[in-house]
Amino acid sequence: MYATTLRCVFCGAEYPLTHRGSCTCCARPGEESALHETLAVKYGMATLKRQLDREELARRPAGLWRYRELLPVVDPAFRIELGAGGTRLVPLTRIAEAVEGHRLLMKVEGSNPTGPFKDRPIGVATSVALEQGARGLACLTSGNIGSAMAAVAAKAGVPALVLLLGAAGLADQGAAVNVEKYVQISAYGATVLTPIGNLGHLYALADRMEAEMGWAFLHNVQAYQTDGDKTTAFEICEQLGWQAPAAVFVPTGTGTNLFGLWQGFVLFKELGFIDTLPRMFAVQPLGAASLVAAWEAHQAVPSVLERIEPNLAPPISHRVSGYHAYKALQESDGGAVAVTDGEILTAMKDLASSEGIYSETASASALAGIRRALATGLLDAEESRRASIVGILTSHGLKNTLALAGVFPSPPKVEGIWEVLQTFLELN
Ligand SMILES: [Zn+2]
């Protein structure tokens, strides 16, 4: 085991690997704040440097556990294998920016087993929870965490409970529950309930269930979720020939994925596997952009938004992003951009119709963010022609088909004869 401790990236407090929940110095249970996800897994770097080299890594099969020394699970029996990770890094060739010579690549996370990147963080966090003795797995989620967790529970043969909240986890704001998501979670055999009550109350219930039944709630092993997100960065570096890209654009809600990616790049650099680090950029939907607001105000601890404006990217519409994400932007000399529904929708359609990649709208904000950064000069046009710019397409488009039903009109009914079909093709 190379993982040594959990350390708070805000106050520096250290905890044993068996610690549950947030940093007790920084976060109050049940209270929304930017300091709830500040714990990160630390590794014994001296030993790792001696025992791990990139040639050995390169010989292993693709996927999460290719990087097993850099993940906190000891016993191979607990490395649940569903085929997470090993996703493609696709160079864009047909959208306007690509034709103009910008080197844009998309990490297509929608090809993970349950549809979103969440199979990485949840794959690692559930494995840790089971290795630490959890008798069942549970989570509070608006969807993607629930399906990733339910799939692992099915494969591991343990019971699963999903407390399914409305979009963006707004239990107390009456947001609608996503139909595609609860159907998928139910198919994996998990018990799905839609709880009524505010989040603070639900977190207290979760703690009671952990104490009395020995189940693990995934928000209490948050640090291990972030740790699983590192593997996306590892793969990107390998796919670019052991190099980091110049910049990475990440659709950002709470910011754990962005921070996890950053930790991955930093770890690879510390190991001497890459020479440079990328600039990290957060992309948020206008109206749910607490990190963008914090970034523009130079305020390291983002404030909680009073309300979220409805938008096309519910998976990244949270009332507050974490300090850890701000820290990643700051350390990497990156930035944060907000994008409109129109920009997100255009990006989603362009990726699908010009590149053959159907991504969730929230995911497509990665491309919308790159465009916004190029337009505002945040991303230098020459730099993006010279060096690789990577967008993280976090989830598959099939995850939010119903929400887009109004965007594409129903196909017209026509007579199935040659002349009619020909007329339609000529019109298009
Ligand atoms: Zn702390």
Side-chain angles (χ1 to χ4, degrees):
M1 178 74 144
Y2 299 91
T4 53
T5 49
L6 299 177
R7 186 183 300 153
C8 175
V9 295
F10 186 72
C11 75
E14 295 213 359
Y15 299 88
L17 294 170
T18 49
H19 174 78
R20 316 291 283 197
S22 306
C23 172
T24 49
C25 310
C26 291
R28 262 181 298 228
E31 189 182 80
E32 275 185 285
S33 98
L35 297 177
H36 261 290
E37 297 175 345
T38 53
L39 293 183
V41 186
K42 290 290 148 193
Y43 288 81
M45 294 307 294
T47 328
L48 269 174
K49 275 184 194 169
R50 278 198 306 276
Q51 299 189 358
L52 188 64
D53 63 70
R54 62 188 202 186
E55 283 69 31
E56 157 64 16
L57 275 184
R59 278 192 291 272
R60 297 178 185 173
L64 217 52
W65 306 113
R66 176 187 183 91
Y67 309 103
R68 52 185 175 266
E69 290 88 348
L70 307 173
L71 295 171
V73 183
V74 186
D75 183 346
F78 290 102
R79 293 180 198 136
I80 315 299
E81 182 55 271
L82 286 177
T87 60
R88 296 181 309 143
L89 182 67
V90 181
L92 301 186
T93 55
R94 295 198 58 241
I95 63 164
E97 291 82 358
V99 172
E100 288 161 13
H102 297 286
R103 291 174 61 179
L104 309 184
L105 300 100
M106 294 290 137
K107 184 70 170 156
V108 185
E109 288 292 283
S111 59
N112 275 297
T114 71
F117 78 98
K118 288 288 183 191
D119 288 314
R120 298 176 189 269
I122 302 307
V124 171
T126 50
S127 292
V128 171
L130 293 172
E131 186 168 42
Q132 291 182 355
R135 289 202 285 269
L137 298 170
C139 63
L140 283 151
T141 176
S142 56
N144 284 342
I145 290 176
S147 43
M149 186 198 79
V152 171
K155 186 71 175 168
V158 297
L161 169 69
V162 175
L163 297 180
L164 192 60
L165 312 175
L170 303 175
D172 49 356
Q173 291 192 21
V177 164
N178 181 306
V179 175
E180 287 121 321
K181 288 172 182 168
Y182 85 65
V183 169
Q184 185 184 7
I185 297 166
S186 304
Y188 290 124
T191 302
V192 189
L193 302 171
T194 57
I196 296 164
N198 67 43
L199 278 176
H201 170 69
L202 295 175
Y203 283 126
L205 261 179
D207 287 346
R208 181 168 175 192
M209 198 167 156
E210 288 208 346
E212 294 191 13
M213 295 174 66
W215 286 41
F217 266 84
L218 293 188
H219 63 265
N220 280 334
V221 282
Q222 176 62 49
Y224 297 109
Q225 293 188 40
T226 316
D227 215 49
D229 288 319
K230 292 184 318 202
T231 58
T232 317
F234 298 159
E235 286 177 15
I236 291 170
C237 295
E238 283 200 64
Q239 287 164 319
L240 291 174
W242 299 102
Q243 280 186 331
V248 183
F249 284 74
V250 190
T252 299
T254 58
T256 48
N257 193 23
L258 187 145
F259 178 63
L261 275 149
W262 175 239
Q263 279 192 299
F265 288 118
V266 170
L267 193 57
F268 255 26
K269 183 151 186 292
E270 285 178 9
L271 288 169
F273 291 179
I274 55 172
D275 298 323
T276 59
L277 290 168
R279 297 169 72 201
M280 302 296 295
F281 289 87
V283 188
Q284 299 196 299
L286 211 63
S290 69
L291 187 58
V292 178
W295 185 251
E296 287 172 354
H298 306 287
Q299 177 196 337
V301 182
S303 302
V304 180
L305 299 172
E306 275 191 22
R307 59 169 276 118
I308 292 172
E309 302 305 327
N311 62 68
L312 281 177
I316 50 169
S317 296
H318 291 261
R319 278 161 39 99
V320 66
S321 306
Y323 161 79
H324 54 355
Y326 189 97
K327 181 180 159 70
L329 303 185
Q330 197 171 38
E331 287 179 356
S332 71
D333 189 27
V337 290
V339 292
T340 65
D341 272 1
E343 290 170 318
I344 293 175
L345 206 53
T346 302
M348 187 279 286
K349 288 180 180 172
D350 286 351
L351 286 168
S353 65
S354 294
E355 304 286 347
I357 305 170
Y358 183 33
S359 64
E360 197 172 27
T361 44
S363 311
S365 67
L367 175 59
I370 292 173
R371 286 172 164 167
R372 178 61 75 97
L374 279 171
T376 57
L378 200 57
L379 186 61
D380 180 61
E382 280 316 305
E383 182 185 22
S384 69
R385 287 193 174 88
R386 205 175 51 243
S388 305
I389 309 298
V390 170
I392 310 293
L393 297 181
T394 41
S395 186
H396 201 290
L398 293 173
K399 280 279 184 175
N400 71 336
T401 295
L402 290 181
L404 293 180
V407 172
F408 299 96
S410 302
K413 270 196 167 57
V414 301
E415 264 190 279
I417 55 175
W418 174 261
E419 288 75 12
V420 174
L421 296 185
Q422 208 180 17
T423 312
F424 267 92
L425 287 176
E426 277 166 9
L427 282 176
N428 288 302

